[in-house]
Amino acid sequence: MGKSRPQMTGAAAVLTALERQGVDTVFGLPGGAIMPIYDALYDSRIRHILMRHEQAAAHAADAYYRASGRCGVTFATSGPGATNLVTGLATAMMDSSALVAITGNVANPLIGTDAFQEADVYGITLPVTKHNYLVKRVEDIPRIVAEAFHIATTGRPGPVLIDIPKDVQQAPFEGSFDVTVDLPGYRPTIKGHAGQIRRAAKAIGEAKRPVMMVGGGAQASAEEVSAFVERTGIPVITTLMGIGAYPYGAPNSLGMPGMHGTVSANRAITHCDLIIGAGLRFDDRVTGKLSRFAPNATVVHIDIDPAEISKLVKAHVPVVGDLKDVLPRLADELEPLEIEEWWKQLDEWKGSYRERYKRDKPLVSQEVIEMLRDAAGGECIVTTDVGQHQMFAARLFTTNRPRSFITSGGLGTMGFGLPAAIGAAFARPDEPVVVVSGDGSIQMNIQELATVFKHQLPIVIAICNNGVLGMVRQWQEMFHAQRYSEVFLADSNPDFAKLAEAYGVEGHNVFDRDSARQAIADALAARKPVLLNCVVYESEKVFPMIPAGAGVDEMILGDQDPEDRENAQEEVVA
Ligand SMILES: Cc1ncc(C[n+]2csc(CCOP(=O)(O)OP(=O)(O)O)c2C)c(N)n1
């Protein structure tokens, strides 16, 4: 008797459908309800990166997309595996990152019975995904996988979850993989409306003090942004998510706006007569108090998501479409802008504020970040965690390349940095990755040192260890009468260098600037995993700062000198 060909299962169909999407890497962690898919993975050419926590797997898949533009993929089991994904999905949703999450669920007959590791993952993830599916029939797998990738990567990117009950994974599959995606209810507008583009061009051409603000939506259109700026000579502000979408070092760059933005960017917003918002959503950390945001400006808002138009800042000229289409057409309608007077004013503001900190006092985070930047020479991917170190990194670890500064902006997820570095390292294997973290944040996904070690990824993890939850401490110092409530970590922090060594990762404790400089240079040259625990001044604060609820014209410049802190003058600039 001849051997019969083994029957393809739903699980194998999932892998085949993923291969057809060009997927080569998946980040995940197995469990009971997803075992058929992991069994099929055994025979697949898709590479699986075993993470140590599903939240980290989601962040890695998210950063894989952010670093490469290729959709990230994550696998998790039912119940706790799937619920562990939630923070990662919400992080990706807020920052418009394309990711497909595949979860196993208990078998259909058990759904609704409080079965072991049952959770209503479809319901739980509905608000934190762009779309989600519960697969009921095995033959639907190829169509649903194709739709999921289409939805995740087109229009405004976002996470899509596919929940597959175990019996569907185990069922014989006899369907076809030749599916066409036909979603009449989902047709993102790519091409900008010609009339709106003409209206926008007229308003821009007439402006005396225009400024362009680019956000995360511009990461995929960096060339078009640069060409537009070259054509018009317009000044450019890049939001936290937009860092690198326009070169920070270019003369037209004013830096980051908002709560911890630059003086020149925030003043430009206050005094401009026109703003082009390109691929951004006017987040409250960017706008401050809405009534004080760009009070004299005509707003041209270009975004692929019509839901963002006039959501927060009223758009006088909305243009719905992809920046790749809209910006070149807008540039074609414009002559170089005659804004010399405006540039004189902007240059004066640019020169009026310098990042200041004393270099003969205890090591501070800003120095560590500058040393990392200088040692890397602009040729690395930066990921960050969330807190003061993130804001210092956004201001100082500047990059001229798109998709190279990867941070959790919208959700502000501590614990993002290390797993994001892993995703970025797999997405762009030829580049070193630097994680800028804090002693609070790093402990939220530190188990991923195991993944870094296993794959010997060229990741340098720099902990700005100030012994506190620094950003919270800063708010308590400034706005809660120095009532420091539950922010001290130093008395119970681990020895981070020893901890790294326990994972097999080279670790160093760094206490002063000379050893920091040397350790950073050595770590970046080594092209292997290194953790640097940099012990920095506890009471450093991030300035400028706009207090929550205040306007962008109400920046506190503060003082960058630890010694003069007692005498720090809080300066409000208009
Ligand atoms: C998951 C999560 N929990 C809590 C917070 C609130 N939070 C914002 S910044 C911060 C402190 C971060 O401390 P650390 O990582 O040490 O960085 P530092 O501010 O000291 O540079 C906290 C607790 C958050 N953003 N994310």
Side-chain angles (χ1 to χ4, degrees), residues 11-174:
V14 170
L15 272 300
T16 303
L18 291 176
E19 284 169 6
R20 290 198 156 213
Q21 292 296 326
V23 172
D24 57 13
T25 309
V26 173
F27 303 89
L29 198 153
I34 198 168
M35 286 192 50
I37 287 181
Y38 273 83
D39 186 68
L41 186 66
Y42 200 78
D43 298 322
S44 165
R45 57 172 188 269
I46 291 178
R47 170 176 59 173
H48 179 271
I49 309 304
L50 176 63
M51 304 292 288
R52 298 306 195 262
H53 193 296
E54 292 86 353
Q55 181 191 345
H59 292 327
D62 170 344
Y64 183 90
Y65 169 76
R66 298 196 205 202
S68 67
R70 298 192 303 275
C71 190
V73 184
T74 182
F75 288 170
T77 192
S78 66
T83 57
N84 272 350
L85 288 181
V86 170
T87 302
L89 294 170
T91 303
M93 184 74 176
M94 285 289 250
D95 289 347
S96 307
S97 185
L99 127 74
V100 169
I102 295 181
T103 48
N105 207 337
V106 299
N108 267 300
L110 292 173
I111 287 182
T113 68
D114 299 331
F116 178 63
Q117 295 193 326
E118 185 194 355
D120 174 12
V121 174
Y122 178 85
I124 290 169
T125 60
L126 199 56
V128 291
T129 49
K130 184 171 172 186
H131 195 62
N132 65 2
Y133 294 90
L134 175 61
V135 184
K136 306 276 277 188
R137 302 180 316 173
V138 66
E139 61 269 29
D140 291 341
I141 286 172
R143 174 183 59 80
I144 287 177
V145 170
E147 286 180 8
F149 276 79
H150 178 69
I151 293 170
T153 55
T154 55
R156 178 179 181 168
V160 177
L161 180 130
I162 308 173
D163 194 31
I164 314 180
K166 194 168 183 177
D167 56 329
V168 176
Q169 298 171 47
Q170 289 166 323
F173 173 83
E174 281 162 1

Side-chain angles (χ1 to χ4, degrees), residues 163-505:
D163 194 31
I164 314 180
K166 194 168 183 177
D167 56 329
V168 176
Q169 298 171 47
Q170 289 166 323
F173 173 83
E174 281 162 1
S176 161
F177 290 95
D178 292 322
V179 287
T180 45
V181 173
D182 179 25
L183 298 169
Y186 175 72
R187 296 253 163 87
T189 304
I190 305 299
K191 213 169 142 42
H193 186 277
Q196 289 303 94
I197 291 176
R198 261 198 308 279
R199 243 164 260 141
K202 184 163 183 299
I204 297 164
E206 286 169 0
K208 302 268 177 297
R209 299 183 306 281
V211 68
M212 182 177 193
M213 278 173 75
V214 300
Q219 292 289 354
S221 306
E223 275 176 33
E224 288 77 5
V225 171
S226 284
F228 183 82
V229 178
E230 202 155 298
R231 170 83 184 156
T232 57
I234 198 165
V236 186
I237 293 170
T238 37
T239 70
L240 181 66
M241 302 313 300
I243 291 176
Y246 181 72
Y248 198 91
N252 284 48
S253 167
L254 302 182
M256 186 172 79
M259 181 171 274
H260 292 294
T262 63
V263 169
S264 53
N266 283 338
R267 283 191 181 159
I269 288 169
T270 301
H271 295 281
C272 69
D273 65 356
L274 179 133
I275 284 191
I276 307 172
L280 51 72
R281 59 189 178 85
F282 293 111
D283 171 74
D284 57 272
R285 286 293 192 263
V286 163
T287 62
K289 191 179 190 172
L290 276 171
S291 59
R292 299 182 82 120
F293 179 78
N296 311 310
T298 299
V299 176
V300 175
H301 193 177
I302 311 168
D303 204 283
I304 204 156
D305 183 359
E308 288 301 338
I309 304 291
S310 295
K311 185 180 85 179
L312 291 160
V313 171
K314 185 179 160 38
H316 303 99
V317 189
V319 187
V320 177
D322 191 327
L323 293 175
K324 271 194 184 315
D325 169 76
V326 175
L327 286 179
R329 289 169 61 203
L330 196 53
D332 282 349
E333 305 241 353
L334 284 164
E335 297 297 325
L337 303 170
E338 287 171 21
I339 51 173
E340 292 75 18
E341 282 303 306
W342 179 226
W343 264 116
K344 253 186 226 156
Q345 176 66 82
L346 294 169
D347 284 335
E348 201 183 304
W349 288 333
K350 269 173 102 170
S352 71
Y353 184 82
R354 296 251 174 280
E355 206 79 36
R356 283 185 294 137
Y357 43 87
K358 267 260 169 79
R359 283 160 208 272
D360 56 352
K361 292 293 156 202
L363 191 61
V364 289
S365 305
Q366 295 97 307
E367 286 175 286
V368 170
I369 291 164
E370 284 190 337
M371 287 177 198
L372 286 161
R373 175 198 62 200
D374 295 345
E379 291 300 313
C380 70
I381 303 170
V382 184
T383 73
T384 83
D385 267 305
V386 173
Q388 293 180 309
H389 62 275
Q390 177 191 33
M391 291 298 115
F392 289 134
R395 295 172 56 85
L396 298 168
F397 210 142
T398 47
T399 170
N400 291 336
R401 301 181 309 156
R403 300 196 179 284
S404 299
F405 187 90
I406 296 174
T407 192
S408 168
L411 202 66
T413 308
M414 290 169 71
F416 177 79
L418 179 55
I422 294 170
F426 280 106
R428 282 163 46 189
D430 297 332
E431 291 184 44
V433 185
V434 175
V435 186
V436 179
S437 188
D439 49 325
S441 293
I442 195 67
Q443 295 188 70
M444 289 209 183
N445 264 320
I446 198 152
Q447 76 287 345
E448 297 308 326
L449 284 173
T451 315
V452 173
F453 165 73
K454 172 163 177 176
H455 298 279
Q456 284 299 302
L457 301 171
I459 296 177
V460 174
I461 304 148
I463 304 174
C464 298
N465 181 354
N466 53 9
V468 283
L469 297 168
M471 188 57 97
V472 180
R473 188 207 162 280
Q474 171 167 348
W475 283 49
Q476 289 174 346
E477 180 182 336
M478 294 176 68
F479 310 118
H480 293 267
Q482 295 165 28
R483 287 154 58 87
Y484 298 119
S485 179
E486 297 299 319
V487 287
F488 297 106
L489 306 175
D491 60 0
S492 41
N493 268 340
D495 179 327
F496 286 106
K498 269 197 194 154
L499 187 61
E501 298 283 354
Y503 276 104
V505 170

Side-chain angles (χ1 to χ4, degrees), residues 553-572:
D553 57 334
E554 297 175 290
M555 267 178 290
I556 298 171
L557 293 186
D559 192 288
Q560 301 289 325
D561 178 355
E563 215 181 35
D564 294 344
R565 192 154 313 281
E566 297 305 320
N567 310 319
Q569 290 289 312
E570 287 191 352
E571 190 184 339
V572 175

